[in-house]
């Protein structure tokens, strides 16, 4: 090492030491007062605290109300059950899900893996999609919506799959 390198290392070391010295908190940390506990005698509860089935609040309705408040008209399509819609020809099989209207799996029919299993290009465990829209000031991920209606149309060598959302009150997306 020459003289310039040694001088540079010393200056850098001094700068780091100075920074650590002046950057630390000057005030010592204040101790939190420990809460004082007082012993109280707890009387046994006279009434039963278990709810009767008629008095229980349905958790699904609470979830729906919170979704209604957050998503407005889209709340009713945030719940449902996913179903598979399959489009296939001689070479390809594509499986869509009604949850999000996304491609769930793509399989090449004429090929196999080295261990003689179907050749899956991708499936829901190996890929993740997300389509976010800003609707009425709220960010909505289309992958969370349950599409109830779908339509498949064939036009020569073109096949079209169209998902739609029925929001009620004549509103369709």
């Amino acid at each position: 090492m020459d003289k310039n390198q040694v001088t540079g290392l010393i200056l850098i070391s001094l700068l780091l030491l100075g920074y650590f010295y002046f950057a630390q908190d000057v005030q010592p940390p204040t101790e939190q007062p420990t809460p004082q506990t007082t012993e109280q005698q707890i009387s046994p509860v006279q009434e039963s605290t278990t709810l009767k089935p008629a008095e229980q609040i349905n958790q699904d309705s609470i979830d729906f109300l919170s979704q209604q408040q957050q998503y407005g008209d889209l709340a009713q399509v945030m719940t449902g059950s996913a179903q598979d819609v399959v489009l296939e020809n001689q070479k390809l099989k594509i499986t869509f899900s009604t949850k999000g209207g996304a491609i769930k799996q793509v399989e090449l029919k004429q090929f196999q893996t080295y261990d003689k299993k179907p050749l899956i290009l991708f499936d829901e465990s190996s890929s993740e999609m997300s389509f976010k829209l800003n609707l009425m000031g709220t960010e909505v991920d289309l992958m969370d919506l349950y599409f109830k209606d779908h339509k498949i149309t064939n036009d020569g060598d073109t096949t079209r799959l169209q998902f739609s959302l029925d929001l009620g009150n004549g509103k369709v997306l």
Side-chain angles (χ1 to χ4, degrees):
M1 281 174 44
D2 67 346
K3 194 178 190 183
N4 290 333
Q5 289 177 335
V6 171
T7 305
L9 288 175
I10 290 173
L11 287 175
I12 290 173
S13 299
L14 289 174
L15 286 173
L16 285 174
L17 288 173
Y19 174 76
F20 288 127
Y21 178 75
F22 291 111
Q24 68 182 354
D25 279 333
V26 179
Q27 298 177 353
T30 59
E31 292 183 20
Q32 298 291 335
T34 58
Q36 295 179 355
T37 59
T38 58
E39 292 184 23
Q40 294 179 353
Q41 192 173 19
I42 300 173
S43 62
V45 177
Q46 298 294 331
E47 298 177 19
S48 174
T49 58
T50 59
L51 297 175
K52 298 175 186 173
E55 296 172 345
Q56 289 179 347
I57 299 174
N58 188 353
Q59 185 63 33
D60 291 339
S61 64
I62 292 174
D63 292 341
F64 180 75
L65 288 175
S66 66
Q67 287 177 349
Q68 180 76 25
Q69 188 176 29
Q70 184 177 1
Y71 297 111
D73 288 340
L74 292 176
Q76 61 188 0
V77 293
M78 297 294 281
T79 59
S81 61
Q83 297 175 351
D84 291 340
V85 178
V86 178
L87 295 178
E88 64 180 318
N89 60 17
Q90 296 84 10
K91 297 181 181 184
L92 188 67
K93 179 180 177 182
I94 305 173
T95 306
F96 293 86
S97 175
T98 56
K99 182 180 183 201
I103 298 173
K104 187 175 177 181
Q105 180 177 325
V106 176
E107 175 187 345
L108 289 177
K109 293 168 115 184
Q110 295 179 342
F111 298 96
Q112 295 178 341
T113 61
Y114 69 93
D115 55 352
K116 305 296 182 203
K117 292 182 180 177
L119 180 60
I120 307 294
L121 293 181
F122 71 88
D123 58 5
E124 59 188 345
S125 65
S126 67
S127 66
E128 183 176 329
M129 294 184 202
S130 180
F131 301 106
K132 294 186 180 187
L133 294 176
N134 190 358
L135 297 174
M136 297 175 282
T138 303
E139 188 174 89
V140 177
D141 190 356
L142 293 181
M143 303 310 282
D144 294 336
L145 303 179
Y146 288 88
F147 293 87
K148 295 189 178 24
D149 299 323
H150 66 276
K151 181 172 71 171
I152 299 173
T153 56
N154 289 323
D155 185 25
D157 62 346
T158 304
T159 302
R160 180 180 297 196
L161 173 62
Q162 180 179 355
F163 288 101
S164 61
L165 293 171
D166 185 11
L167 301 177
N169 300 331
K171 297 180 182 177
V172 177
L173 291 178

